[in-house]
Amino acid sequence: MATQLRLVRKLLLHVPHRHHKNPISFASCLSLCTDSSTHQEREEQVRKLRILLQQQRTATAENLIKTLILSKTSSFSSPNDLFTLFSVSSPSLKPLFTNMLLSVLSSSKMPVEALQLYSSVRKDGGFPSLASLNLLLDCLVTCNRFDRTLELFEDIVDSGFQPDKFTYGKAVQAAVKIGDLKRAREVVDLMKKKGVRPNVFIYNVLIGVLCKEKKMRDAEKLFDEMCKRNLVPTRVTYNTLIDGYCKAAELEKAFGLRERMKIENVEANLVTFNSLLSGLCKAKKMEEAKKVCQEMEANGFVPDGFTYSILFHGFSRTGDGEGVIALYKEAIGKGARINGYTCSILLNALCKQGKIEKAEEILGKEMENGLVPSDVMFNTIVNGYCRRGDINRAIFTIEQMENRGVRPNCITFNSLIDKFCEIREIDKAEEWVKKMAEKGISPNLETHNTLINGYGRMGLFDRCFQILEEMEYHGMKPNVVSYGSLINCLCKDGKLLEAEIVLRDMEDRGVSPNTQIYNMLIDGTCSVGRIKDAFKFFDEMVESKIAPTLVTYNVLINGLCKKARIMEAEDLLNQIISTGLSPDVITYNSLISGHSSAGNTQECLELYENMKKLGIKPSLKTFHPLIRGCCKEGIVIIEKLFSEMLQLDLSPDLVVYNALIHCYVEHGDLQKALAFHCEMVEQGIHPDKMTYNSLILGHLREGKFSKVEDLVSDMKIKGLNPKADTYSILVKGYCEHNNFGEAYIWYREMFENGFLPSLSICNELTTGLKQEDRLKEAQIISSEMSIKGMDAHIINEDLPAVTKI
């Protein structure tokens, strides 16, 4: 009983009392009527109701009640006033009248008045009928009073009433609407305990919320349970599951259900087809989407605006601008009406593909057909021109927008401001901020964040801090994006101490850093080799209960691998798996690169095989360290790796070609190396210094000195002037062929260009020159090396005293 009273009081607290009248007696009711005619009218209406109910003319009685409670000229101040007067005058008919009044209030969607009446009835010790209560529950759900629905349901149960399926269904629906799946399941469990079998409606509601949360396995269990109970799934059931599968990218199961609908003779509707189309378009399967469209039309359904919006999205995702245009023409040809929402999607799809002029043309046509343009449509075109870099057209579009009576907003101006910041014309960005204010549009948080990012990328950090101060002065609190933009720019500029100071400042101001901020700091410290500091931020992140992402782990693994701390990097790989994350191609690329640099060829190959077993597709960056690191293993393994790379539709880039050319040179196959050189040139890939160094080395080993000279000349023509590494290959290569005179000529060019060979190469060259009695050249090298601070005492020992003078 205490629980019931508590719930009734709680329900009563939520009912406004501005019209609440609760007379205690008939006499007090009469005393409220200062006008005798009003008093007589009230009595007459109550008398009519009494007679109608006595004669069981319920329909007429209901109509009279509606008139009395809805009329602005009613003599009753509120439905509760009518209830009180009728109860006092006709106590024997009170239960019947109560149920009727509550039903009318509920069906008239008057939840406040209905709850007020319910509270009055409960305070009098009465209880409405289950039928009228069900109408009230339905009214509460329809009016989005979900908490009140559950409170009422609990009061019904605690009062000893036996709810029916409808009652339970409304409670389940209310719990689902507020996102309390646990409560919804508790209601279903109670229902089963009381021996009431859940109906299709309840299963549909529960399946719907599970699909919304992408808990498809749980939704499947409920669907199977429903079928086992011999409940026939409805079109709503199938549509809900199909939509859930499509959103969870489980298209095969979605189409499996579609086939089951056909077998069970459940007719599909436009919702069914739109869900399937949405799933296919998100998966970029436009050919299959076209087939679904054909099936839809074959079943007599005409694509609506939403259908076309889905398809426009799909073609946009696949980068098929022509497909978007063709679809638009098809829609117009079929007489489809393009509404504002569909038009916005269409314009966005075209602008993303750079077809902005076409978007403008279509907008113009639709406006001629009566479409009222919105700021969203014009903003899409402004943003499209800004992305292309055509700022003049973007400004012209804003002018057109104003001429059409459409007022620009923050989004309009922010597109321009962002573009000016991107191209480092920050003064013009500031000009447009002023223009924005002149037009009565206050710069918003995004405007200020854009400016902070713009100034930060230019290294003008004082201005960034000034903007933060201006924001606070104008009562605009910087958010995590404001600080994140600044921290990101400071980290990229190597100002890690300043970045940490900003981090501490944002924390002091009550702005909590997120995963992205910590990732920036970890990446910044790793990029300069400060692994200890990176882990300090990582530990701080974990202590603050901010879950590290795969990006966090990948940055740390890459940093460790660059420092040759591969064992620690592999420990992090295990940590990724233990935390429920899945390593990706970036994770494996970093580990393979680390092992490759350390010369651990077998570990590289094992990681490569593991990633393939896990279904992780290798990228070009996977093959860079693999081919380079496996060179010493022989040509067979290199050719195998290269073949697998091509099978993955990965086109070799400069790094891959250089690794292949170097490998074939190292294994003495100059012709194969030259063939790859020709292939890369044909592919439009320009050789770099590394390419030339490998080819020079290959020709030197075969003693083809004229080819070597041609290659060096070609390097210089292409602006790739030889540096220390190229000259060292030349000097050493000629020495190995005992051509010390030519080697000395290369040495001279090298020295005069400001480069020095290693001590070992100097020793080899001077020793060879001495053997050929070219003591003067040997002494010159010795002297030049001494002047440059290289220890050349070994090469000086055998020189005659006369040459040392």
Side-chain angles (χ1 to χ4, degrees), residues 743-762:
Y744 179 72
I745 292 171
W746 286 117
Y747 163 79
R748 288 254 45 88
E749 185 176 322
M750 179 181 189
F751 186 82
E752 286 163 9
N753 280 307
F755 303 110
L756 296 174
S758 65
L759 186 59
S760 63
I761 292 176
C762 285

Side-chain angles (χ1 to χ4, degrees), residues 413-556:
F413 289 101
N414 285 346
S415 293
L416 267 181
I417 292 163
D418 182 59
K419 189 62 186 182
F420 279 124
C421 287
E422 183 188 317
I423 61 177
R424 294 176 172 257
E425 292 188 16
I426 202 79
D427 291 340
K428 288 187 178 178
E430 292 277 19
E431 281 178 25
W432 276 90
V433 173
K434 289 177 184 176
K435 286 183 183 180
M436 187 177 178
E438 287 167 5
K439 290 181 180 289
I441 302 164
S442 299
N444 63 3
L445 188 61
E446 185 184 342
T447 315
H448 289 91
N449 288 349
T450 300
L451 288 172
I452 289 170
N453 191 47
Y455 279 111
R457 285 189 297 181
M458 294 175 70
L460 303 172
F461 298 111
D462 288 343
R463 177 60 182 140
C464 293
F465 288 111
Q466 188 181 351
I467 292 170
L468 287 172
E469 289 175 7
E470 288 173 3
M471 289 170 74
E472 293 191 337
Y473 178 77
H474 289 103
M476 187 180 294
K477 186 180 178 182
N479 64 0
V480 70
V481 177
S482 317
Y483 289 106
S485 295
L486 181 51
I487 287 171
N488 186 45
C489 293
L490 287 166
C491 287
K492 286 183 176 178
D493 203 45
K495 299 183 185 299
L496 298 172
L497 177 60
E498 291 87 341
E500 186 171 357
I501 290 169
V502 173
L503 172 70
R504 302 308 166 204
D505 182 62
M506 71 180 284
E507 289 174 326
D508 291 342
R509 293 175 186 272
V511 181
S512 300
N514 58 15
T515 307
Q516 287 72 31
I517 296 243
Y518 277 110
N519 285 351
M520 292 169 193
L521 291 160
I522 291 168
D523 184 52
T525 46
C526 281
S527 64
V528 295
R530 287 164 50 179
I531 304 297
K532 184 177 178 182
D533 288 339
F535 274 97
K536 179 192 78 172
F537 288 121
F538 177 78
D539 293 338
E540 185 180 310
M541 183 180 185
V542 174
E543 286 169 14
S544 301
K545 300 194 184 308
I546 299 171
T549 62
L550 186 59
V551 173
T552 319
Y553 287 109
N554 281 347
V555 169
L556 287 168

Side-chain angles (χ1 to χ4, degrees), residues 583-608:
D584 63 2
V585 66
I586 296 171
T587 320
Y588 277 96
N589 286 353
S590 295
L591 290 166
I592 290 170
S593 184
H595 279 295
S596 177
S597 298
N600 304 328
T601 308
Q602 288 307 312
E603 286 80 354
C604 287
L605 293 170
E606 284 175 16
L607 284 166
Y608 173 63

Side-chain angles (χ1 to χ4, degrees), residues 226-242:
M226 175 182 173
C227 294
K228 284 176 184 176
R229 289 176 177 270
N230 295 320
L231 293 171
V232 180
T234 64
R235 184 163 60 193
V236 173
T237 320
Y238 283 111
N239 282 351
T240 303
L241 280 166
I242 286 171

Side-chain angles (χ1 to χ4, degrees), residues 305-306 308-309 312 324 328 337-351 358-367 371-374 376-378 380-381:
F306 187 60
Y308 283 112
S309 299
F312 288 140
V324 173
Y328 171 72
R337 188 172 179 273
I338 304 295
N339 60 25
Y341 173 76
T342 309
C343 188
S344 296
I345 300 296
L346 167 60
L347 298 178
N348 188 49
L350 289 169
C351 287
K358 189 66 182 177
E360 280 194 297
E361 179 190 324
I362 288 173
L363 178 58
K365 283 182 181 178
E366 291 303 320
M367 286 193 293
L371 178 74
V372 178
S374 66
V376 175
M377 296 173 194
F378 280 111
T380 299
I381 293 171

Side-chain angles (χ1 to χ4, degrees), residues 550 553 573-583:
L550 186 59
Y553 287 109
L573 173 62
N574 295 328
Q575 197 171 325
I576 288 174
I577 297 165
S578 66
T579 54
L581 296 169
S582 299

Side-chain angles (χ1 to χ4, degrees), residues 146-155 171 174-175 178 183 187:
F146 306 121
D147 288 328
R148 304 291 85 77
T149 306
L150 292 168
E151 287 166 10
L152 178 58
F153 172 76
E154 193 174 335
D155 191 41
I178 60 173
R183 184 106 175 250
V187 173

